[in-house]
Amino acid sequence: MLVNPPSRAWAPTARGWSAPASDSEKNPPGRFPFGRGPRNRQNRAVKVYQRETELRTAGGLAVRDITDEVNEAVRESGVTEGIACIYSPHTTCCVRVNEFETGFIEDFSELLRRLVPSETYYAHDDWDKRTENICPEDMDFGNGHSHCMAMLLGTAGESVPVRDGELCLGTWQRVLFIELDRERDRRWLVQVVGN
């Protein structure tokens, strides 16, 4: 999906910034309210592109490198300068930017298992106590530990700047999709916004 909202030039007023009387008005260079730099001197329309990817995870703290797929979405978007937001719409998995190296992944998994062991009691898995958001398949396999891990890891997604049509990642940085629960059908979304 590609959306191009109408381009608008803005003008300073005594009370702040206001929209022009018509879209045809041009704004002089350096007078745009959002700090345009040398790369962005012209008034351009903002593009918004979204792509959804489905996958089946292996479960049990599985980490999958999705960097190439995210880069592909950025290229498809046609955005050269902007931001890519990569998001998981699930409560027991997330997207992170880090190194995709076997030793690190092993250390990270071990750390999470020490901090949030699956064998301990979780009220989320106590079916005599829990009365909300009940999924029948969760009754067979408790996943309270997966929810706790997800909360420790923070938000469900990452935002990565886009420059010259590429993700601005460091040398060893990769975009990682992390499954904290059992094997499941999942999806992740990337939304690219820019010019």
Side-chain angles (χ1 to χ4, degrees):
M1 168 174 75
L2 191 59
V3 179
N4 288 318
S7 174
R8 297 194 63 105
W10 291 75
T13 67
R15 295 187 179 139
W17 293 89
S18 68
S22 73
D23 283 342
S24 62
E25 291 181 38
K26 295 291 180 194
N27 207 11
R31 301 287 306 268
F32 195 82
F34 303 111
R36 290 183 178 270
R39 296 177 172 275
N40 300 314
R41 294 224 183 259
Q42 296 176 349
N43 191 8
R44 299 181 210 174
V46 173
K47 296 177 188 174
V48 178
Y49 174 88
Q50 189 177 96
R51 176 169 140 183
E52 182 174 321
T53 302
E54 295 178 353
L55 66 146
R56 180 80 180 171
T57 63
L61 288 175
V63 179
R64 175 184 241 156
D65 184 350
I66 61 171
T67 310
D68 293 340
E69 293 163 277
V70 175
N71 265 322
E72 183 181 300
V74 170
R75 282 189 295 278
E76 287 174 5
S77 75
V79 169
T80 56
E81 308 291 327
I83 193 157
C85 300
I86 309 99
Y87 173 75
S88 165
H90 305 284
T91 56
T92 56
C93 52
C94 62
V95 173
R96 285 287 163 273
V97 171
N98 212 307
E99 187 171 351
F100 189 64
E101 184 271 325
T102 306
F104 163 68
I105 300 299
E106 186 178 305
D107 294 340
F108 174 70
S109 296
E110 183 181 322
L111 172 67
L112 278 180
R113 286 187 179 107
R114 272 196 323 256
L115 290 173
V116 188
S118 60
E119 302 81 30
T120 193
Y121 172 83
Y122 293 94
H124 179 78
D125 300 334
D126 186 338
W127 301 109
D128 293 328
K129 191 175 197 177
R130 183 174 165 191
T131 60
E132 304 163 308
N133 305 331
I134 295 175
C135 175
E137 66 184 61
D138 286 345
M139 296 179 91
D140 297 330
F141 307 97
N143 68 350
H145 67 288
S146 303
H147 288 278
C148 291
M149 285 180 185
M151 289 295 283
L152 285 174
L153 292 175
T155 62
E158 293 276 5
S159 295
V160 180
V162 172
R163 185 179 339 136
D164 298 325
E166 296 287 329
L167 293 172
C168 293
L169 293 171
T171 302
W172 303 113
Q173 286 184 320
R174 305 295 289 175
V175 182
L176 309 175
F177 184 90
I178 305 172
E179 174 63 75
L180 302 167
D181 206 344
R182 64 188 173 278
E183 178 182 349
R184 290 186 136 176
D185 291 322
R186 299 293 199 176
R187 59 195 174 103
W188 56 271
L189 295 90
V190 59
Q191 182 161 307
V192 188
V193 180
N195 65 15

